[in-house]
Amino acid sequence: MLGKDEVIKQVQDKDVEFIRLWFTDINGILKSFAITNEELENALERGMGFDGSSITGFQDIEESDMIAMPDPETFAILPWRPQEKSVARMICDILKPDGQPYEGDPRYVLRRALDKMEKMGFDHFYVGPELEYFYFKSPVKPEPLDTGGYFDLTPLDLASDLRRDTVLALKKLGIRVEYSHHEAAVSQHEIDIRYDDALRMADNMVTYRLTVKEIATKHGVYATFMPKPLNDEYGSGMHTHQSLFNGDKNVFFDAEDPYHLSEYARAYLGGVLKYSKEITSILNPWVNSYKRLVPGFEAPVYIAWSRSNRSALVRVPQYQPGREEATRIEIRCPDPSGNPYLQLAVTLMAGLHGIEEKCDLSEPMELNLYDLNEEERMRKGIETLPSSLQEAISYTEESDLMKETLGPHSFKRFITLKKMECAEFNRQVTDYEIKKYYPML
């Protein structure tokens, strides 16, 4: 853990000339400005001021003064920049001019959720996300680099060197990588980073996304985390593993339960299922997200849980004897395009509410839910996630859980922005419509 003095010493010892201060807007888009090393001490003590009115989801122009306060623990040298007169980064908390946390800061939204968790008696919220993405030949048109499939190796997988260089860059940034591989769709890839505490993981997720893009650019190609860039191919998901700990004890584990799930784990999972429709707009935040969430492409749309069936919304990986610490749930609907701070906050709050409400957990659905027709699913009481952003927002807008989690400011801004996106999309005439309707109408 780095403190202010250690950061200043590293800047001096490692010839750091510039420090980039990072934060995200409400959509999860990374924002940044650079300071020189001469300004570092002042930035660490007082933060750096900026105009928040130009940041999506932040303040109106009449109350636009914001302070970016760098977190010394996030200091890292950017490996894709020159190492002579090098460039480092720190991720910031956003403050109001009086030094109080800014309620519209997505990092603060996650901090509030973690505060609630601690007040309920839990020490750690561990998260392990699996972010999928595509490599394309250019940013102009989604032309795949390869025709490989799941776990394919070269020569079908032309991106092995891209993944290799990305993994090496992530390690230099202090991010632990478990493995990397080609995913199911053509030119689709995945690098899995090792689980960590939620706040550190959200920081790692925004860093991961930029690192993937930077290394791709160095190789003359383009990387995207767009959920569904290609027709008739699998979309990119972000299966997210979660567990709660007290010290070294995984409170999700119970040796006596047939599924090795404690009462806490059962209620947490029950809460995620209960509130899944309300939080979908954060987990899948774009119009394009819902072109991934369709049956037949391994994207979970059915609100149920399972141990081995990947068509369910939540999977509980099979228990391995002697690995109690690995007991966890895997939420399978999120995609990698959203705001990680908000995504982790809403899933945690849904689970915590499940614990508070002692939510019941039904038996797992081990059959392939894609094989059931609508009538069979209704008989089993299996509901589906929203099928469009517009529908998802309608659930969010009525959700007390989401109002509590996001806070009044971010809740209102998020709803407004997403309604505008839906309205804009509805005005567009697509190539599909031209091809289908123009010749005959």
Side-chain angles (χ1 to χ4, degrees):
M1 294 176 60
L2 290 176
K4 296 177 183 178
D5 293 339
E6 290 86 354
V7 168
I8 293 170
K9 187 175 188 305
Q10 284 207 31
V11 166
Q12 294 169 345
D13 292 346
K14 297 185 178 180
D15 192 30
V16 176
E17 183 69 25
F18 299 98
I19 301 93
R20 298 205 70 92
L21 304 184
W22 290 4
F23 59 96
T24 72
D25 68 11
I26 198 170
N27 286 324
I29 305 302
L30 196 58
K31 302 295 180 179
S32 173
F33 60 97
I35 61 172
T36 61
N37 52 17
E38 291 92 348
E39 285 295 320
L40 176 61
E41 189 169 357
N42 177 61
L44 290 167
E45 289 294 330
R46 301 179 182 85
M48 301 297 292
F50 68 97
D51 177 9
S53 65
S54 298
I55 306 299
T56 302
F58 276 30
Q59 285 299 102
D60 295 324
I61 195 166
E62 63 269 15
E63 298 177 329
S64 60
D65 291 338
M66 298 279 110
I67 304 294
M69 179 60 70
D71 182 347
E73 292 185 25
T74 66
F75 177 86
I77 295 174
L78 301 178
W80 55 82
R81 299 306 303 272
Q83 296 308 289
E84 182 180 352
K85 301 298 180 185
S86 59
V87 180
R89 73 93 159 94
M90 283 188 284
I91 296 174
C92 296
D93 292 300
I94 306 304
L95 308 179
K96 294 185 286 190
D98 62 3
Q100 294 300 306
Y102 171 53
E103 59 272 21
D105 176 17
R107 205 168 188 248
Y108 179 58
V109 171
L110 179 55
R111 284 188 184 278
R112 284 205 319 268
L114 293 170
D115 285 344
K116 179 181 177 70
M117 174 198 74
E118 291 174 3
K119 289 174 182 175
M120 290 177 62
F122 305 108
D123 295 338
H124 299 285
F125 175 41
Y126 284 127
V127 180
E130 303 172 3
L131 292 90
E132 298 170 348
Y133 62 92
F134 284 85
Y135 288 126
F136 293 128
K137 293 180 181 179
S138 81
V140 178
K141 184 180 179 182
E143 294 183 68
L145 295 184
D146 62 64
T147 57
Y150 192 68
F151 271 33
D152 275 344
L153 190 58
T154 51
L156 289 174
D157 181 3
L158 301 179
S160 292
D161 286 346
L162 280 164
R163 293 201 310 268
R164 171 189 176 275
D165 289 353
T166 303
V167 169
L168 294 175
L170 290 170
K171 290 176 71 175
K172 289 179 181 177
L173 287 161
I175 297 174
R176 296 179 64 185
V177 174
E178 290 192 327
Y179 51 83
S180 65
H181 60 89
H182 198 293
E183 256 297 336
V186 298
S187 215
Q188 186 185 40
H189 302 266
E190 178 177 309
I191 299 172
D192 288 343
I193 49 184
R194 186 169 176 79
Y195 75 90
D196 210 332
D197 274 304
L199 186 62
R200 184 186 298 273
M201 180 54 73
D203 292 340
N204 286 348
M205 289 160 72
V206 296
T207 304
Y208 168 101
R209 293 194 305 204
L210 182 64
T211 304
V212 168
K213 287 177 172 286
E214 290 283 359
I215 300 303
T217 299
K218 276 188 169 291
H219 283 261
V221 299
Y222 182 72
T224 179
F225 291 88
M226 182 179 177
K228 184 76 169 180
L230 296 172
N231 290 326
D232 303 320
E233 290 284 353
Y234 297 109
S236 288
M238 187 181 72
H239 304 157
T240 305
H241 300 257
Q242 301 185 347
S243 57
L244 294 176
F245 272 64
N246 275 330
D248 295 330
K249 180 184 178 183
N250 185 349
V251 299
F252 275 11
F253 176 75
D254 183 350
E256 304 301 319
D257 183 78
Y259 307 116
H260 299 98
L261 295 176
S262 69
E263 289 301 315
Y264 286 128
R266 285 175 163 273
Y268 186 101
L269 174 49
V272 170
L273 295 177
K274 176 180 177 180
Y275 292 106
S276 58
K277 292 182 181 181
E278 299 173 27
I279 66 177
T280 296
S281 63
I282 291 288
L283 303 182
N284 306 94
W286 306 99
V287 165
N288 181 256
S289 299
Y290 297 83
K291 298 187 176 183
R292 166 184 166 258
L293 290 179
V294 293
F297 287 89
E298 290 193 3
V301 295
Y302 301 118
I303 303 173
W305 75 281
S306 171
R307 290 181 297 170
S308 57
N309 175 12
R310 285 169 165 79
S311 64
L313 177 62
V314 180
R315 187 174 75 93
V316 176
Q318 297 276 6
Y319 168 66
Q320 300 178 32
R323 294 203 60 202
E324 291 81 4
E325 76 283 356
T327 301
R328 63 198 187 276
I329 71 168
E330 177 192 0
I331 306 174
R332 296 178 58 80
C333 70
D335 69 52
S337 66
N339 188 313
Y341 301 100
L342 301 185
Q343 289 174 316
L344 298 188
V346 298
T347 52
L348 173 60
M349 289 290 283
L352 294 178
H353 272 250
I355 292 173
E356 287 181 325
E357 298 162 14
K358 295 181 170 58
C359 280
D360 291 330
L361 187 63
S362 60
E363 289 299 303
M365 292 288 178
E366 300 299 357
L367 71 167
N368 189 338
L369 300 177
Y370 295 133
D371 292 339
L372 300 179
N373 60 39
E374 185 175 356
E375 183 180 338
E376 290 170 325
R377 286 194 296 272
M378 288 179 63
R379 281 204 303 267
K380 292 180 179 295
I382 299 173
E383 298 184 60
T384 62
L385 292 177
S387 60
S388 68
L389 179 60
Q390 196 161 351
E391 183 184 355
I393 285 297
S394 70
Y395 283 106
T396 297
E397 194 169 18
E398 300 301 319
S399 172
D400 291 335
L401 171 74
M402 291 290 282
K403 292 173 185 174
E404 176 189 354
T405 304
L406 298 182
H409 175 91
S410 292
F411 179 82
K412 180 180 178 181
R413 294 296 171 100
F414 182 78
I415 295 293
T416 300
L417 284 167
K418 293 304 163 181
K419 284 186 173 181
M420 290 170 59
E421 182 182 345
C422 291
E424 182 181 2
F425 175 75
N426 289 338
R427 287 195 298 269
Q428 303 302 311
V429 179
T430 65
D431 289 342
Y432 170 84
E433 293 167 284
I434 294 293
K435 290 177 183 177
K436 186 171 180 66
Y437 303 124
Y438 183 71
M440 63 179 179
L441 297 179

